Amino acid sequence: IIIVFFTIWGVWQIKEAKKINKILADVNMALEKSNSELADSKEHIMASFKDRNLFIAKSSHELRTPLNAILGFVDLAMDSSEEGSVQKEYLQHAHESAKHLLTLTEDILQYSKVENIAYSYEPLNLCEIVEAAESMAYTDMEKSQLKLVKNVSPNITVWADAVRLRQIVINLITNASKYAGFGKTLELNATTKNGFAIITFSDDGNGVPEDFVPLLFTPFTRGVTVDCGIPGSGIGLSTSFKIAQTMGGTLTYEKSSKGGALFSLHIPVLSFDSVNTSNLNKENPSTDNSVAVSNI
């Protein structure tokens, strides 16, 4: 009886083992098929991404050429038109529309480069970056009579891409120039904490409408109407947000104590780890830190 029992039990175990092996074989085949499909999908996505960027770059180039020509001819026509005439008024509208289209085309082109241009990291004096950005944003500040009050220590050194970091600062200054209101004040302060330089941009304007705050860093969205007279296509803050993330930092918004807008930019300060990361990136340029962000 014992021999029969163990024989039956052994046969049953062999059958169960065969079933399990078959199940495992089916699972392995399914996994291999999934891996193959994922690889094909990845190649397809990468090819589509490349085609999309190529299409955007080519289209933008093709659009810029005739738009620049239109602007040139409209300028000539305006010069020969009588001041105050209906003809000159129509030409001014045409000029503004063409200029808006050209700006939008440039923005689309630049935004499409977000993940294509490599960063160039280096130690940067934050005070010098802010000074350079202020100089470049001077025209916008002058138009709105924005007063910039700075409190940035000359001893803060950050680890970032100079061009991209300067773009963020320029954008946040010009953003206050456009939206805070005429004759307002923008306070720019910088401190360091937990390995980050924290740069705050606080104005005494009306702030961002509450219902628009969730969309603030969404590309091509604006909290004002198209005919408000404020130039822009709603891409500056979204691009700045991506720049900050790519450099290992953050860009956030909240209402300031004065009721205006308060943007906080966190950027890593120079450290031994930063230098090591730089060396690794040079050896392996495919790392995430080599991803770049477009101009604003």
Side-chain angles (χ1 to χ4, degrees):
I1 295 173
I2 294 173
I3 293 172
V4 171
F5 171 78
F6 278 105
T7 301
I8 295 173
W9 182 79
V11 171
W12 179 80
Q13 285 287 85
I14 292 171
K15 287 182 178 180
E16 288 299 311
K18 287 182 178 180
K19 287 181 182 179
I20 293 172
N21 287 335
K22 188 177 184 305
I23 293 171
L24 289 174
D26 292 341
V27 170
N28 284 332
M29 287 181 62
L31 286 173
E32 288 177 3
K33 184 179 179 181
S34 296
N35 288 334
S36 178
E37 290 175 353
L38 284 173
D40 291 340
S41 298
K42 181 181 178 182
E43 290 180 5
H44 178 71
I45 291 170
M46 294 301 294
S48 299
F49 185 77
K50 184 178 180 180
D51 291 342
R52 185 205 68 174
N53 286 340
L54 182 62
F55 170 76
I56 291 174
K58 187 173 179 60
S59 300
S60 299
H61 175 73
E62 295 298 328
L63 284 169
R64 280 183 297 172
T65 302
L67 283 172
N68 279 317
I70 290 170
L71 283 169
F73 285 122
V74 171
D75 283 335
L76 290 174
M78 287 175 63
D79 291 339
S80 59
S81 300
E82 292 183 10
E83 195 67 38
S85 65
V86 176
Q87 181 186 11
K88 187 154 190 172
E89 182 182 349
Y90 289 161
L91 287 169
Q92 285 175 337
H93 286 307
H95 186 276
E96 290 172 4
S97 296
K99 191 173 181 181
H100 176 72
L101 281 174
L102 184 61
T103 301
L104 184 58
T105 301
E106 292 285 354
D107 286 344
I108 293 172
L109 175 62
Q110 297 300 335
Y111 193 76
S112 71
K113 296 178 180 178
V114 166
E115 295 167 340
N116 291 331
I117 304 173
Y119 270 12
S120 178
Y121 289 92
E122 59 182 320
L124 301 171
N125 182 282
L126 184 59
C127 190
E128 292 178 1
I129 291 290
V130 170
E131 292 289 342
E134 180 187 6
S135 177
M136 294 180 182
Y138 176 80
T139 302
D140 291 305
M141 293 169 59
E142 186 70 15
K143 287 180 182 178
S144 62
Q145 292 296 296
L146 180 74
K147 181 182 178 183
L148 181 61
V149 178
K150 297 172 295 182
N151 181 20
V152 182
S153 169
N155 300 319
I156 299 177
T157 302
V158 295
W159 184 248
D161 180 289
V163 174
R164 308 305 167 190
L165 178 57
R166 188 164 59 242
Q167 286 174 336
I168 300 179
V169 180
I170 292 171
N171 178 63
L172 292 173
I173 293 175
T174 56
N175 194 70
S177 299
K178 290 190 290 185
Y179 296 104
F182 189 83
K184 297 295 182 177
T185 299
L186 175 65
E187 296 182 9
L188 195 162
N189 298 300
T191 58
T192 57
K193 185 179 180 181
N194 298 330
F196 285 89
I198 305 172
I199 310 108
T200 58
F201 302 76
S202 177
D203 64 58
D204 54 353
N206 296 321
V208 177
E210 289 295 327
D211 58 344
F212 184 71
V213 172
L215 302 173
L216 191 59
F217 298 115
T218 303
F220 303 107
T221 56
R222 303 180 71 195
V224 294
T225 57
V226 177
D227 57 353
C228 66
I230 300 176
S233 56
I235 196 174
L237 288 177
S238 60
T239 306
S240 298
F241 182 80
K242 283 196 172 186
I243 292 175
Q245 282 191 326
T246 304
M247 293 194 297
T250 59
L251 177 61
T252 60
Y253 166 82
E254 61 183 299
K255 207 173 187 65
S256 72
S257 58
K258 297 180 180 178
L262 170 59
F263 289 94
S264 298
L265 173 64
H266 290 61
I267 296 295
V269 294
L270 180 63
S271 66
F272 180 74
D273 290 338
S274 299
V275 177
N276 286 342
T277 301
S278 172
N279 292 333
L280 288 173
N281 288 341
K282 290 178 182 178
E283 295 173 3
N284 182 14
S286 62
T287 55
D288 290 342
N289 284 334
S290 66
V291 176
V293 181
S294 64
N295 294 321
I296 292 173

